[in-house]
Amino acid sequence: MVLILRYLGRQVLASIGLAVLFLLLLFGLFDLIGELDNIKPTGYTTAKAFLHVLLGMPGRLQELLPIAALLGAIFAFARLAANSEFTVMRASSLATGRLVAFMGGLGILLGVATLLIGEYLTPPAEQLAQQIKIRGTSGVVAQEFRSGLWAKDGRTFVNIRQMHADARLDDLRMYEFDEQFQLVRVRLARSAHWDPSGRWRLVQVTDTHLTGARTAVAHLPEAEWRSPITPDLLSALMVNPDRMAITTLYSYVNYLNDNQQKATRYEIALWSKLAYPLAAPVMLLLALPFAYAQTRSGKLGSRILVGILIGLGFHLVNRMFGHIGLLNDWPPILSALAPLTLFTVAALVALRRMESH
């Protein structure tokens, strides 16, 4: 039985690998076409656009791996059924329960791979891709805001007019209020850069203290600024929350909560990233009913088409629940787990019906 399961695992993993390659090439082509409008003779060239798409592949792989698992498993079962191998496996006492457990374990391995890709490969690759695009186009992040970027640190409101791709900040304004919401301090800085020691270095600073009827102004060539607003937190503005690392998301959610700002979008993204590794096991469970159906029908094309529709349906439903949860202020864990729960129930019902027939 162990030999049968090993053989089955190799067949499924090989087919999943082919499905991953096909989907990455397909979506990579779509992404490259989408970048064509941004290409310029100087700056953001075709080579940089291609590099931008290439660096986005880890994020695509993270998104597409569950769909590839479903398609690869269906295709593998189709080949096994066409050669009557799956019939022989069932005749060799391969029970449905054991097959479900094996496919679930295989899916967990793929889920761990998804988690590792999303945690260690996707965030730095995505950030580098955004830096390449930003430097090639405008060179500045958040230029769409007329007054720049605003952030809140306790009772201090920070205005950053320009944030560069390497996290350098230009033209900072910091407004500090007391407990009675009276303005007590204003700091202006021409620029700031992150010091490896864990603080910001402000350049050409004008520090104004407001105490009653008196005003004290100091001009400093350089000053330090200690704040929970770090380059990692600012990178949230450059990287889609769905492609941020779990640790960065967690820190950003805590930062927003500590400053009494709405963090629902990032909480949903955090719970979705924690739950997404379970998508691969669910997709493999959904593929199992096709394995039993293949023994009765050789319509491979229709099976693959249904698999594609189910995979895309899961992807769309997952995103839909995220948006609906954000609009209706649902608990983030509900928005993240509801699609997985629905598709898990569908897989178990399909397996029960197939086994009963």
Side-chain angles (χ1 to χ4, degrees):
M1 187 60 64
V2 175
L3 291 176
I4 292 176
L5 292 178
R6 284 181 180 176
Y7 177 74
L8 179 61
R10 286 197 300 268
Q11 294 295 317
V12 171
L13 289 176
S15 297
I16 290 174
L18 290 174
V20 166
L21 182 60
F22 170 75
L23 290 174
L24 284 179
L25 289 174
L26 180 63
F27 279 84
L29 179 61
F30 291 156
D31 291 339
L32 186 59
I33 293 174
E35 292 295 321
L36 293 180
D37 291 337
N38 299 317
I39 291 176
K40 300 177 181 178
T42 58
Y44 193 59
T45 61
T46 304
K48 289 184 178 180
F50 183 79
L51 182 58
H52 177 269
V53 172
L54 191 63
L55 288 169
M57 286 296 103
R60 282 295 184 195
L61 177 59
Q62 178 189 356
E63 294 175 356
L64 297 173
L65 194 55
I67 302 175
L70 175 64
L71 297 179
I74 291 175
F75 187 72
F77 286 133
R79 288 191 302 172
L80 292 173
N83 298 325
S84 301
E85 292 177 89
F86 190 70
T87 303
V88 173
M89 291 178 183
R90 294 185 63 193
S92 302
S93 302
L94 181 59
T96 302
R98 188 161 188 175
L99 186 57
V100 168
F102 175 75
M103 297 300 288
L106 197 62
I108 290 174
L109 291 178
L110 293 174
V112 171
T114 303
L115 182 64
L116 293 176
I117 292 170
E119 188 68 12
Y120 297 107
L121 289 181
T122 300
E126 187 71 18
Q127 191 165 11
L128 181 57
Q130 294 300 326
Q131 289 176 2
I132 290 172
K133 185 172 182 178
I134 290 167
R135 287 171 180 170
T137 53
S138 64
V140 175
V141 182
Q143 62 175 357
E144 64 273 18
F145 298 104
R146 291 185 178 180
S147 60
L149 168 70
W150 285 89
K152 182 173 178 286
D153 177 15
R155 292 195 295 269
T156 301
F157 292 85
V158 182
N159 176 223
I160 303 169
R161 292 300 176 98
Q162 292 183 345
M163 186 177 78
H164 294 269
D166 57 357
R168 287 184 298 107
L169 311 178
D170 287 342
D171 197 2
L172 282 76
R173 291 170 169 81
M174 288 171 272
Y175 305 92
E176 184 178 341
F177 295 81
D178 61 16
E179 296 179 353
Q180 286 74 40
F181 302 103
Q182 298 294 319
L183 183 64
V184 296
R185 187 182 186 186
V186 178
R187 275 203 293 180
L188 309 178
R190 181 177 180 180
S191 63
H193 63 271
W194 182 254
D195 194 300
S197 62
R199 57 189 175 183
W200 292 97
R201 303 298 302 181
L202 304 178
V203 179
Q204 295 187 14
V205 182
T206 300
D207 198 349
T208 304
H209 288 265
L210 307 172
T211 54
R214 299 181 56 187
T215 301
V217 180
H219 298 279
L220 305 172
E222 190 172 279
E224 72 174 46
W225 173 37
R226 295 185 178 272
S227 171
I229 303 174
T230 64
D232 285 340
L233 294 178
L234 292 176
S235 69
L237 301 171
M238 300 175 63
V239 179
N240 189 303
D242 296 331
R243 298 191 176 185
M244 290 169 60
I246 292 175
T247 51
T248 304
L249 271 173
Y250 181 75
S251 299
Y252 196 62
V253 167
N254 286 337
Y255 164 74
L256 292 176
N257 289 331
D258 291 342
N259 286 279
Q260 299 179 359
Q261 299 182 55
K262 193 173 182 63
T264 306
R265 179 190 178 194
Y266 296 94
E267 288 175 339
I268 292 175
L270 175 61
W271 280 105
S272 295
K273 286 187 71 70
L274 291 172
Y276 203 69
L278 298 176
V282 171
M283 292 296 104
L284 289 182
L285 289 180
L286 277 169
L288 277 179
F290 290 91
Y292 289 90
Q294 293 288 352
T295 60
R296 301 182 179 91
S297 174
K299 298 177 181 178
L300 175 60
S302 62
R303 306 293 178 185
I304 295 294
L305 177 60
V306 172
I308 292 174
L309 293 177
I310 292 175
L312 293 177
F314 172 77
H315 186 69
L316 293 175
V317 168
N318 200 38
R319 287 184 173 274
M320 182 184 71
F321 268 86
H323 291 301
I324 294 177
L326 182 62
L327 290 174
N328 294 282
D329 207 20
W330 287 355
I333 190 172
L334 174 63
S335 301
L337 293 180
L340 284 172
T341 303
L342 289 175
F343 278 79
T344 301
V345 171
L348 295 177
V349 170
L351 274 173
R352 178 64 63 86
R353 291 187 60 184
M354 189 62 63
E355 192 176 23
S356 63
H357 286 77

